[in-house]
Amino acid sequence: MDLFGEGNGAKPFLKWAGGKRQLIPTIQATLPATLAQETDLTYVEPFIGGGAVLFWMLQRYSNIRNAIINDINPDLTTAYQVVQQYPEELIKALNTVQEFYDKLGTEEARRSYFDEMRAEFNQRPLAPLRNTVVLIFLNRTCFNGLYRVNSKGGFNVPFGRYDRPSICNPATIRADSALLARVTILNGDFAEVLPHIPSNGFFYFDPPYKPLSKTALFNAYATETFDDDSQSRLAAFCRTLDAQGHRWLLSNSDMQNTDSADAYFDDLYTGFALQRIQAKRTINSKAGGRGHISELLINNYALADMPQLA
């Protein structure tokens, strides 16, 4: 099932660890039943990541007049701004890179070019267009499409072995740009979105997940870590939104995958609706680690307001 339609529909222009594309049917079933009928609705996503839910929401709910997205990763938010404002310039530049890369005759030559581009990327700041061109190239040619930086902010994902990776998708960039025309793009801490929110805001939170074990920690989308203090601060922020009358839906890991007695999120979000859903790991260095696990969906609106699961 293609949730984004065939061919030329808007969809994520980057691969992104933890993307929610496969969970969209479950997310849809957990949205308020009245959402499609509401006027002056603003959609807010404070951890935008790859944007699968954003692009689906903007196509599914035409009554969303405005959206606000945010991320602490400046490379990511710059990329959204470039897609929004300069789609044709981006397409032209990516096509040039695509043509050059496709003509490289050996894996050794492609790896060398990848290393050059990664070194350039790590010399930031680059001009926004160039930064986004290099980011998309690295995203499409690195191992597993990961974005990972070290403590100094250096992109450190190794070369990936792809015969003919698709570096430029003009139809996706143009479709995404059209939808992003009604989106405000912020770069900063998740709590900084609050002053930008009108009275009728619906939030979807997809923060960096709490790791299921010490060895499962994924390093890292940004130089800033999202630790237990950050998880607690996010839960407090959700309670603030609830007190102000905003509705929200939040995804996170289910600690009970590894410890059935671990009630970390059950306790942190006590008083709100919590359901455990099945999700598939899509990025793992070992094929054996790409199985189904339980994840959490937590929300602050009454279950009676939600459509029935099919």
Side-chain angles (χ1 to χ4, degrees):
M1 175 176 154
D2 189 348
L3 295 165
F4 295 93
E6 297 292 337
N8 296 336
K11 58 186 178 182
F13 59 89
L14 290 170
K15 301 177 183 179
W16 208 255
K20 290 298 176 289
R21 184 167 183 158
Q22 295 187 20
L23 285 185
I24 286 176
T26 305
I27 289 172
Q28 180 180 12
T30 313
L31 296 174
T34 60
L35 210 59
Q37 290 77 47
E38 297 178 20
T39 58
D40 299 322
L41 178 64
T42 297
Y43 175 72
V44 189
E45 198 166 337
F47 303 90
I48 187 58
V53 177
L54 169 75
F55 291 122
W56 176 78
M57 288 285 292
L58 292 178
Q59 292 173 93
R60 172 66 176 80
Y61 293 94
S62 59
N63 57 316
I64 296 177
R65 302 304 182 201
N66 301 286
I68 297 169
I69 64 173
N70 174 77
D71 205 276
I72 201 166
N73 183 323
D75 294 321
L76 183 60
T77 54
T78 295
Y80 276 96
Q81 290 168 342
V82 169
V83 171
Q84 179 193 59
Q85 300 172 30
Y86 306 106
E88 297 307 319
E89 293 88 340
L90 178 60
I91 290 167
K92 181 179 179 180
L94 285 172
N95 275 331
T96 299
V97 172
Q98 179 89 65
E99 291 169 7
F100 180 83
Y101 190 78
D102 287 348
K103 290 178 181 177
L104 295 174
T106 66
E107 181 179 308
E108 181 180 357
R110 290 191 292 270
R111 183 189 300 272
S112 177
Y113 184 63
F114 173 88
D115 289 343
E116 291 175 11
M117 293 286 267
R118 185 175 64 179
E120 179 185 355
F121 189 68
N122 286 336
Q123 291 173 358
R124 301 189 293 278
L126 304 175
L129 176 61
R130 182 60 181 174
N131 197 82
T132 300
V133 168
V134 181
L135 171 65
I136 292 176
F137 168 80
L138 293 174
N139 182 256
R140 293 294 173 175
T141 58
C142 74
F143 177 75
N144 262 349
L146 292 173
Y147 181 99
R148 184 185 65 199
V149 296
N150 58 28
S151 60
K152 296 180 180 180
F155 183 85
N156 63 0
V157 184
F159 176 70
R161 293 173 175 169
Y162 305 102
D163 290 335
R164 293 185 65 85
S166 177
I167 296 166
C168 183
N169 188 327
T172 294
I173 291 172
R174 291 185 178 114
D176 289 354
S177 181
L179 287 181
L180 290 170
R182 63 185 199 262
V183 176
T184 298
I185 303 167
L186 305 175
N187 170 229
D189 183 77
F190 65 85
E192 295 175 14
V193 303
L194 193 55
H196 301 269
I197 309 305
S199 58
N200 189 20
F202 179 81
F203 289 71
Y204 173 59
F205 293 97
D206 185 24
Y209 277 20
K210 180 176 171 63
L212 296 178
S213 67
K214 291 182 180 180
T215 58
L217 182 60
F218 174 76
N219 292 314
Y221 302 112
T223 54
E224 299 82 359
T225 59
F226 204 84
D227 55 14
D228 282 0
D229 287 341
S230 299
Q231 296 286 359
S232 296
R233 193 164 59 86
L234 176 57
F237 184 70
C238 287
R239 292 186 184 279
T240 296
L241 294 177
D242 183 66
Q244 294 181 359
H246 296 294
R247 292 159 301 166
W248 50 262
L249 174 66
L250 180 143
S251 305
N252 217 311
S253 55
D254 182 7
M255 306 310 294
Q256 294 187 9
N257 281 294
T258 53
D259 181 356
S260 60
D262 192 331
Y264 178 85
F265 285 112
D266 304 71
D267 294 339
L268 195 60
Y269 288 93
T270 184
F272 298 119
L274 184 149
Q275 58 177 317
R276 289 178 161 85
I277 60 172
Q278 290 298 301
K280 185 177 181 180
R281 294 181 185 270
T282 56
I283 295 184
N284 194 297
S285 60
K286 298 179 181 179
R290 298 173 188 171
H292 286 83
I293 62 170
S294 175
E295 292 187 6
L296 301 179
L297 283 179
I298 307 167
N299 61 276
N300 73 325
Y301 38 88
L303 292 177
D305 294 335
M306 292 162 48
Q308 295 298 309
L309 292 172

